[in-house]
Amino acid sequence: MSGDDTRALAATYSAIAPDYEELWAPVLVPYTRQLLDALGFGDAGSVLDLGTGVGSMLGELAARAPGARVVGADLSEGMLRRAPPAFARVLSDAMRLPFADGAFDAVISAFVLFNVPEPGVAFTEVRRCTAPDGVFGMTTWGDATDAENAPARAVFDEELDRAGAGPDPVAALGSARAEIGAPDRLAGHLEAAGFDEASVRVVAFEHPLDTEAFVRERAKLGPTGRRLASLDTAARQVCLARARERIAALRPEDLTDHDSVLIATAHAG
């Protein structure tokens, strides 16, 4: 990913920050809590939330490690501006972390590192910034082939195609989901970066929505939202109306996304 690509990705997330905070961040919180339960870092003196986004977990990190200095880092300035101002917030690329060696006793990264072009580089940087005997924990999406996307997604995609919507610009930037989306591959990356005792487990992800919530979320976030934004106002309204009508005729279970989440923990030897 070039510098221009990195800036484009950051700008994309900055633009959706308010909608992300309202619609998507709360969906991910339960899975991040499972990570925190597994990690165990209550005695940490310093904690980094890498890819903190809107800072949904900063307060909980502070509560779980009451003596720690908690820092949130993210590539997107728009996201960081919505994070709680009581915490230190650092604009940072995961592949070039601006922290000293061993700066943090614990590092977490929730649903972020599949976005980096070279996850091995990011893991090496995380290991560098993790103190001896420190811990690292992360969540990421499992292999895309494991996903059972809601049939309603296909309906939305069909209507976007019908309306002449452009391709998703973020898809062109690439994703590391396939590279780290299986337990053995993710554990291998962690061990190659110098972590010990890498443990990865898979949990099921379910996200049910009703018609209005589904259309609203898809219209604002993710590939469908980005494609919809390529249409002019009139075409966008027609596309949404057609998608809503067809989705309303589906069964409730057709509006539920099924996926898998990898929860990984490791120690800095």
Side-chain angles (χ1 to χ4, degrees), residues 116-146:
V116 302
E118 298 179 68
V121 174
F123 290 136
T124 300
E125 273 292 271
V126 170
R127 175 61 186 86
R128 179 185 65 77
C129 295
T130 305
D133 298 323
V135 293
F136 172 54
M138 63 171 285
T139 57
T140 189
W141 299 108
D143 279 339
T145 53
D146 294 336

PDB file of all heavy atoms in Angstrom, residues 116-146:
ATOM      1  N   VAL A 116      -3.964  -3.758   7.201  1.00  0.00           N
ATOM      2  CA  VAL A 116      -2.603  -3.335   6.861  1.00  0.00           C
ATOM      3  C   VAL A 116      -2.091  -4.146   5.673  1.00  0.00           C
ATOM      4  O   VAL A 116      -2.429  -5.324   5.520  1.00  0.00           O
ATOM      5  CB  VAL A 116      -1.643  -3.474   8.066  1.00  0.00           C
ATOM      6  CG1 VAL A 116      -2.141  -2.668   9.247  1.00  0.00           C
ATOM      7  CG2 VAL A 116      -1.446  -4.926   8.447  1.00  0.00           C
ATOM      8  N   PRO A 117      -1.268  -3.541   4.822  1.00  0.00           N
ATOM      9  CA  PRO A 117      -0.797  -4.254   3.631  1.00  0.00           C
ATOM     10  C   PRO A 117       0.201  -5.362   3.938  1.00  0.00           C
ATOM     11  O   PRO A 117       0.283  -6.344   3.206  1.00  0.00           O
ATOM     12  CB  PRO A 117      -0.164  -3.151   2.784  1.00  0.00           C
ATOM     13  CG  PRO A 117       0.201  -2.087   3.763  1.00  0.00           C
ATOM     14  CD  PRO A 117      -0.851  -2.131   4.826  1.00  0.00           C
ATOM     15  N   GLU A 118       0.979  -5.208   5.015  1.00  0.00           N
ATOM     16  CA  GLU A 118       1.976  -6.203   5.393  1.00  0.00           C
ATOM     17  C   GLU A 118       1.832  -6.502   6.883  1.00  0.00           C
ATOM     18  O   GLU A 118       2.508  -5.896   7.720  1.00  0.00           O
ATOM     19  CB  GLU A 118       3.382  -5.708   5.084  1.00  0.00           C
ATOM     20  CG  GLU A 118       3.654  -5.438   3.609  1.00  0.00           C
ATOM     21  CD  GLU A 118       5.053  -4.920   3.377  1.00  0.00           C
ATOM     22  OE1 GLU A 118       6.010  -5.691   3.586  1.00  0.00           O
ATOM     23  OE2 GLU A 118       5.186  -3.744   3.015  1.00  0.00           O
ATOM     24  N   PRO A 119       0.951  -7.423   7.244  1.00  0.00           N
ATOM     25  CA  PRO A 119       0.716  -7.672   8.665  1.00  0.00           C
ATOM     26  C   PRO A 119       1.964  -8.122   9.409  1.00  0.00           C
ATOM     27  O   PRO A 119       2.126  -7.808  10.602  1.00  0.00           O
ATOM     28  CB  PRO A 119      -0.364  -8.755   8.674  1.00  0.00           C
ATOM     29  CG  PRO A 119      -0.381  -9.320   7.305  1.00  0.00           C
ATOM     30  CD  PRO A 119       0.063  -8.231   6.392  1.00  0.00           C
ATOM     31  N   GLY A 120       2.869  -8.826   8.727  1.00  0.00           N
ATOM     32  CA  GLY A 120       4.094  -9.239   9.397  1.00  0.00           C
ATOM     33  C   GLY A 120       4.900  -8.059   9.905  1.00  0.00           C
ATOM     34  O   GLY A 120       5.490  -8.113  10.996  1.00  0.00           O
ATOM     35  N   VAL A 121       4.925  -6.983   9.122  1.00  0.00           N
ATOM     36  CA  VAL A 121       5.621  -5.765   9.546  1.00  0.00           C
ATOM     37  C   VAL A 121       4.931  -5.160  10.771  1.00  0.00           C
ATOM     38  O   VAL A 121       5.589  -4.752  11.735  1.00  0.00           O
ATOM     39  CB  VAL A 121       5.673  -4.742   8.397  1.00  0.00           C
ATOM     40  CG1 VAL A 121       6.273  -3.416   8.873  1.00  0.00           C
ATOM     41  CG2 VAL A 121       6.473  -5.288   7.226  1.00  0.00           C
ATOM     42  N   ALA A 122       3.600  -5.126  10.750  1.00  0.00           N
ATOM     43  CA  ALA A 122       2.854  -4.567  11.882  1.00  0.00           C
ATOM     44  C   ALA A 122       3.075  -5.394  13.144  1.00  0.00           C
ATOM     45  O   ALA A 122       3.273  -4.842  14.233  1.00  0.00           O
ATOM     46  CB  ALA A 122       1.368  -4.502  11.542  1.00  0.00           C
ATOM     47  N   PHE A 123       3.059  -6.729  13.024  1.00  0.00           N
ATOM     48  CA  PHE A 123       3.281  -7.573  14.196  1.00  0.00           C
ATOM     49  C   PHE A 123       4.682  -7.365  14.763  1.00  0.00           C
ATOM     50  O   PHE A 123       4.874  -7.360  15.986  1.00  0.00           O
ATOM     51  CB  PHE A 123       3.087  -9.044  13.837  1.00  0.00           C
ATOM     52  CG  PHE A 123       1.657  -9.420  13.560  1.00  0.00           C
ATOM     53  CD1 PHE A 123       1.333 -10.228  12.488  1.00  0.00           C
ATOM     54  CD2 PHE A 123       0.629  -8.964  14.368  1.00  0.00           C
ATOM     55  CE1 PHE A 123       0.018 -10.583  12.228  1.00  0.00           C
ATOM     56  CE2 PHE A 123      -0.693  -9.306  14.112  1.00  0.00           C
ATOM     57  CZ  PHE A 123      -1.002 -10.113  13.045  1.00  0.00           C
ATOM     58  N   THR A 124       5.668  -7.192  13.891  1.00  0.00           N
ATOM     59  CA  THR A 124       7.024  -6.939  14.363  1.00  0.00           C
ATOM     60  C   THR A 124       7.100  -5.612  15.101  1.00  0.00           C
ATOM     61  O   THR A 124       7.780  -5.491  16.140  1.00  0.00           O
ATOM     62  CB  THR A 124       8.009  -6.961  13.179  1.00  0.00           C
ATOM     63  OG1 THR A 124       7.961  -8.251  12.555  1.00  0.00           O
ATOM     64  CG2 THR A 124       9.421  -6.676  13.635  1.00  0.00           C
ATOM     65  N   GLU A 125       6.399  -4.602  14.607  1.00  0.00           N
ATOM     66  CA  GLU A 125       6.359  -3.312  15.290  1.00  0.00           C
ATOM     67  C   GLU A 125       5.656  -3.427  16.651  1.00  0.00           C
ATOM     68  O   GLU A 125       6.109  -2.847  17.645  1.00  0.00           O
ATOM     69  CB  GLU A 125       5.625  -2.290  14.421  1.00  0.00           C
ATOM     70  CG  GLU A 125       6.491  -1.572  13.428  1.00  0.00           C
ATOM     71  CD  GLU A 125       7.475  -0.644  14.131  1.00  0.00           C
ATOM     72  OE1 GLU A 125       7.133   0.531  14.372  1.00  0.00           O
ATOM     73  OE2 GLU A 125       8.587  -1.102  14.460  1.00  0.00           O
ATOM     74  N   VAL A 126       4.567  -4.167  16.691  1.00  0.00           N
ATOM     75  CA  VAL A 126       3.873  -4.373  17.963  1.00  0.00           C
ATOM     76  C   VAL A 126       4.791  -5.072  18.959  1.00  0.00           C
ATOM     77  O   VAL A 126       4.885  -4.680  20.130  1.00  0.00           O
ATOM     78  CB  VAL A 126       2.581  -5.179  17.761  1.00  0.00           C
ATOM     79  CG1 VAL A 126       1.985  -5.595  19.103  1.00  0.00           C
ATOM     80  CG2 VAL A 126       1.561  -4.367  16.972  1.00  0.00           C
ATOM     81  N   ARG A 127       5.494  -6.101  18.474  1.00  0.00           N
ATOM     82  CA  ARG A 127       6.421  -6.822  19.377  1.00  0.00           C
ATOM     83  C   ARG A 127       7.508  -5.888  19.883  1.00  0.00           C
ATOM     84  O   ARG A 127       7.888  -5.949  21.061  1.00  0.00           O
ATOM     85  CB  ARG A 127       7.039  -8.011  18.632  1.00  0.00           C
ATOM     86  CG  ARG A 127       8.106  -8.764  19.426  1.00  0.00           C
ATOM     87  CD  ARG A 127       7.540  -9.349  20.704  1.00  0.00           C
ATOM     88  NE  ARG A 127       8.593  -9.948  21.528  1.00  0.00           N
ATOM     89  CZ  ARG A 127       9.340  -9.269  22.398  1.00  0.00           C
ATOM     90  NH1 ARG A 127       9.167  -7.943  22.548  1.00  0.00           N
ATOM     91  NH2 ARG A 127      10.242  -9.893  23.128  1.00  0.00           N
ATOM     92  N   ARG A 128       8.020  -5.028  19.025  1.00  0.00           N
ATOM     93  CA  ARG A 128       9.057  -4.088  19.440  1.00  0.00           C
ATOM     94  C   ARG A 128       8.573  -3.185  20.559  1.00  0.00           C
ATOM     95  O   ARG A 128       9.329  -2.852  21.492  1.00  0.00           O
ATOM     96  CB  ARG A 128       9.500  -3.241  18.235  1.00  0.00           C
ATOM     97  CG  ARG A 128      10.570  -2.205  18.553  1.00  0.00           C
ATOM     98  CD  ARG A 128      10.884  -1.323  17.365  1.00  0.00           C
ATOM     99  NE  ARG A 128       9.749  -0.494  16.964  1.00  0.00           N
ATOM    100  CZ  ARG A 128       9.356   0.614  17.600  1.00  0.00           C
ATOM    101  NH1 ARG A 128       9.989   1.025  18.695  1.00  0.00           N
ATOM    102  NH2 ARG A 128       8.330   1.310  17.162  1.00  0.00           N
ATOM    103  N   CYS A 129       7.316  -2.769  20.482  1.00  0.00           N
ATOM    104  CA  CYS A 129       6.770  -1.827  21.461  1.00  0.00           C
ATOM    105  C   CYS A 129       6.229  -2.504  22.719  1.00  0.00           C
ATOM    106  O   CYS A 129       5.804  -1.825  23.652  1.00  0.00           O
ATOM    107  CB  CYS A 129       5.653  -1.008  20.825  1.00  0.00           C
ATOM    108  SG  CYS A 129       6.208   0.066  19.491  1.00  0.00           S
ATOM    109  N   THR A 130       6.229  -3.836  22.735  1.00  0.00           N
ATOM    110  CA  THR A 130       5.724  -4.572  23.896  1.00  0.00           C
ATOM    111  C   THR A 130       6.876  -4.878  24.842  1.00  0.00           C
ATOM    112  O   THR A 130       7.926  -5.385  24.426  1.00  0.00           O
ATOM    113  CB  THR A 130       5.057  -5.889  23.462  1.00  0.00           C
ATOM    114  OG1 THR A 130       4.045  -5.602  22.487  1.00  0.00           O
ATOM    115  CG2 THR A 130       4.408  -6.582  24.653  1.00  0.00           C
ATOM    116  N   ALA A 131       6.685  -4.578  26.105  1.00  0.00           N
ATOM    117  CA  ALA A 131       7.740  -4.779  27.098  1.00  0.00           C
ATOM    118  C   ALA A 131       8.032  -6.268  27.291  1.00  0.00           C
ATOM    119  O   ALA A 131       7.170  -7.117  27.060  1.00  0.00           O
ATOM    120  CB  ALA A 131       7.315  -4.161  28.425  1.00  0.00           C
ATOM    121  N   PRO A 132       9.261  -6.600  27.716  1.00  0.00           N
ATOM    122  CA  PRO A 132       9.539  -7.993  28.065  1.00  0.00           C
ATOM    123  C   PRO A 132       8.510  -8.506  29.071  1.00  0.00           C
ATOM    124  O   PRO A 132       8.138  -7.796  30.022  1.00  0.00           O
ATOM    125  CB  PRO A 132      10.936  -7.916  28.685  1.00  0.00           C
ATOM    126  CG  PRO A 132      11.555  -6.696  28.065  1.00  0.00           C
ATOM    127  CD  PRO A 132      10.425  -5.721  27.892  1.00  0.00           C
ATOM    128  N   ASP A 133       8.005  -9.696  28.823  1.00  0.00           N
ATOM    129  CA  ASP A 133       6.947 -10.312  29.644  1.00  0.00           C
ATOM    130  C   ASP A 133       5.605  -9.614  29.481  1.00  0.00           C
ATOM    131  O   ASP A 133       4.667  -9.883  30.238  1.00  0.00           O
ATOM    132  CB  ASP A 133       7.332 -10.325  31.136  1.00  0.00           C
ATOM    133  CG  ASP A 133       8.586 -11.144  31.389  1.00  0.00           C
ATOM    134  OD1 ASP A 133       8.745 -12.188  30.722  1.00  0.00           O
ATOM    135  OD2 ASP A 133       9.400 -10.732  32.226  1.00  0.00           O
ATOM    136  N   GLY A 134       5.500  -8.715  28.499  1.00  0.00           N
ATOM    137  CA  GLY A 134       4.219  -8.081  28.225  1.00  0.00           C
ATOM    138  C   GLY A 134       3.316  -8.997  27.398  1.00  0.00           C
ATOM    139  O   GLY A 134       3.694 -10.101  26.996  1.00  0.00           O
ATOM    140  N   VAL A 135       2.099  -8.512  27.128  1.00  0.00           N
ATOM    141  CA  VAL A 135       1.119  -9.325  26.413  1.00  0.00           C
ATOM    142  C   VAL A 135       0.541  -8.549  25.239  1.00  0.00           C
ATOM    143  O   VAL A 135       0.484  -7.315  25.250  1.00  0.00           O
ATOM    144  CB  VAL A 135      -0.033  -9.784  27.339  1.00  0.00           C
ATOM    145  CG1 VAL A 135       0.476 -10.752  28.387  1.00  0.00           C
ATOM    146  CG2 VAL A 135      -0.718  -8.585  27.993  1.00  0.00           C
ATOM    147  N   PHE A 136       0.116  -9.309  24.237  1.00  0.00           N
ATOM    148  CA  PHE A 136      -0.538  -8.748  23.063  1.00  0.00           C
ATOM    149  C   PHE A 136      -1.798  -9.558  22.792  1.00  0.00           C
ATOM    150  O   PHE A 136      -1.795 -10.785  22.866  1.00  0.00           O
ATOM    151  CB  PHE A 136       0.381  -8.802  21.846  1.00  0.00           C
ATOM    152  CG  PHE A 136      -0.285  -8.423  20.544  1.00  0.00           C
ATOM    153  CD1 PHE A 136      -0.961  -7.223  20.416  1.00  0.00           C
ATOM    154  CD2 PHE A 136      -0.236  -9.274  19.446  1.00  0.00           C
ATOM    155  CE1 PHE A 136      -1.576  -6.866  19.217  1.00  0.00           C
ATOM    156  CE2 PHE A 136      -0.834  -8.929  18.237  1.00  0.00           C
ATOM    157  CZ  PHE A 136      -1.512  -7.717  18.133  1.00  0.00           C
ATOM    158  N   GLY A 137      -2.870  -8.844  22.480  1.00  0.00           N
ATOM    159  CA  GLY A 137      -4.107  -9.521  22.120  1.00  0.00           C
ATOM    160  C   GLY A 137      -4.767  -8.807  20.957  1.00  0.00           C
ATOM    161  O   GLY A 137      -4.702  -7.577  20.852  1.00  0.00           O
ATOM    162  N   MET A 138      -5.419  -9.581  20.080  1.00  0.00           N
ATOM    163  CA  MET A 138      -6.062  -8.976  18.915  1.00  0.00           C
ATOM    164  C   MET A 138      -7.272  -9.794  18.486  1.00  0.00           C
ATOM    165  O   MET A 138      -7.386 -10.983  18.792  1.00  0.00           O
ATOM    166  CB  MET A 138      -5.080  -8.880  17.752  1.00  0.00           C
ATOM    167  CG  MET A 138      -4.584 -10.213  17.232  1.00  0.00           C
ATOM    168  SD  MET A 138      -3.626 -10.062  15.691  1.00  0.00           S
ATOM    169  CE  MET A 138      -4.941  -9.764  14.499  1.00  0.00           C
ATOM    170  N   THR A 139      -8.164  -9.128  17.785  1.00  0.00           N
ATOM    171  CA  THR A 139      -9.249  -9.799  17.090  1.00  0.00           C
ATOM    172  C   THR A 139      -9.150  -9.445  15.617  1.00  0.00           C
ATOM    173  O   THR A 139      -8.682  -8.369  15.243  1.00  0.00           O
ATOM    174  CB  THR A 139     -10.625  -9.363  17.617  1.00  0.00           C
ATOM    175  OG1 THR A 139     -10.744  -7.938  17.491  1.00  0.00           O
ATOM    176  CG2 THR A 139     -10.821  -9.753  19.072  1.00  0.00           C
ATOM    177  N   THR A 140      -9.588 -10.375  14.796  1.00  0.00           N
ATOM    178  CA  THR A 140      -9.663 -10.126  13.363  1.00  0.00           C
ATOM    179  C   THR A 140     -10.730 -11.040  12.787  1.00  0.00           C
ATOM    180  O   THR A 140     -11.218 -11.958  13.452  1.00  0.00           O
ATOM    181  CB  THR A 140      -8.303 -10.364  12.669  1.00  0.00           C
ATOM    182  OG1 THR A 140      -8.373  -9.902  11.316  1.00  0.00           O
ATOM    183  CG2 THR A 140      -7.918 -11.829  12.679  1.00  0.00           C
ATOM    184  N   TRP A 141     -11.118 -10.769  11.555  1.00  0.00           N
ATOM    185  CA  TRP A 141     -12.113 -11.601  10.890  1.00  0.00           C
ATOM    186  C   TRP A 141     -11.471 -12.884  10.385  1.00  0.00           C
ATOM    187  O   TRP A 141     -10.330 -12.875   9.936  1.00  0.00           O
ATOM    188  CB  TRP A 141     -12.742 -10.846   9.723  1.00  0.00           C
ATOM    189  CG  TRP A 141     -13.458  -9.605  10.147  1.00  0.00           C
ATOM    190  CD1 TRP A 141     -13.062  -8.316   9.938  1.00  0.00           C
ATOM    191  CD2 TRP A 141     -14.683  -9.529  10.888  1.00  0.00           C
ATOM    192  NE1 TRP A 141     -13.964  -7.448  10.495  1.00  0.00           N
ATOM    193  CE2 TRP A 141     -14.971  -8.159  11.087  1.00  0.00           C
ATOM    194  CE3 TRP A 141     -15.564 -10.486  11.398  1.00  0.00           C
ATOM    195  CZ2 TRP A 141     -16.107  -7.722  11.779  1.00  0.00           C
ATOM    196  CZ3 TRP A 141     -16.686 -10.066  12.097  1.00  0.00           C
ATOM    197  CH2 TRP A 141     -16.947  -8.699  12.272  1.00  0.00           C
ATOM    198  N   GLY A 142     -12.234 -13.971  10.462  1.00  0.00           N
ATOM    199  CA  GLY A 142     -11.770 -15.226   9.911  1.00  0.00           C
ATOM    200  C   GLY A 142     -11.801 -15.196   8.393  1.00  0.00           C
ATOM    201  O   GLY A 142     -12.200 -14.212   7.768  1.00  0.00           O
ATOM    202  N   ASP A 143     -11.357 -16.300   7.806  1.00  0.00           N
ATOM    203  CA  ASP A 143     -11.328 -16.396   6.354  1.00  0.00           C
ATOM    204  C   ASP A 143     -12.665 -15.997   5.746  1.00  0.00           C
ATOM    205  O   ASP A 143     -13.724 -16.417   6.218  1.00  0.00           O
ATOM    206  CB  ASP A 143     -11.010 -17.826   5.921  1.00  0.00           C
ATOM    207  CG  ASP A 143      -9.522 -18.120   5.973  1.00  0.00           C
ATOM    208  OD1 ASP A 143      -8.729 -17.161   5.950  1.00  0.00           O
ATOM    209  OD2 ASP A 143      -9.161 -19.301   6.024  1.00  0.00           O
ATOM    210  N   ALA A 144     -12.601 -15.212   4.690  1.00  0.00           N
ATOM    211  CA  ALA A 144     -13.821 -14.751   4.032  1.00  0.00           C
ATOM    212  C   ALA A 144     -14.663 -15.921   3.529  1.00  0.00           C
ATOM    213  O   ALA A 144     -15.886 -15.829   3.441  1.00  0.00           O
ATOM    214  CB  ALA A 144     -13.473 -13.817   2.879  1.00  0.00           C
ATOM    215  N   THR A 145     -14.006 -17.036   3.226  1.00  0.00           N
ATOM    216  CA  THR A 145     -14.756 -18.194   2.734  1.00  0.00           C
ATOM    217  C   THR A 145     -15.635 -18.791   3.811  1.00  0.00           C
ATOM    218  O   THR A 145     -16.545 -19.558   3.519  1.00  0.00           O
ATOM    219  CB  THR A 145     -13.779 -19.265   2.214  1.00  0.00           C
ATOM    220  OG1 THR A 145     -12.815 -19.558   3.234  1.00  0.00           O
ATOM    221  CG2 THR A 145     -13.062 -18.799   0.969  1.00  0.00           C
ATOM    222  N   ASP A 146     -15.369 -18.455   5.077  1.00  0.00           N
ATOM    223  CA  ASP A 146     -16.188 -18.958   6.177  1.00  0.00           C
ATOM    224  C   ASP A 146     -17.447 -18.129   6.391  1.00  0.00           C
ATOM    225  O   ASP A 146     -18.348 -18.526   7.118  1.00  0.00           O
ATOM    226  CB  ASP A 146     -15.382 -18.952   7.491  1.00  0.00           C
ATOM    227  CG  ASP A 146     -14.225 -19.937   7.453  1.00  0.00           C
ATOM    228  OD1 ASP A 146     -14.313 -20.899   6.665  1.00  0.00           O
ATOM    229  OD2 ASP A 146     -13.257 -19.741   8.189  1.00  0.00           O
TER     230      ASP A 146
END
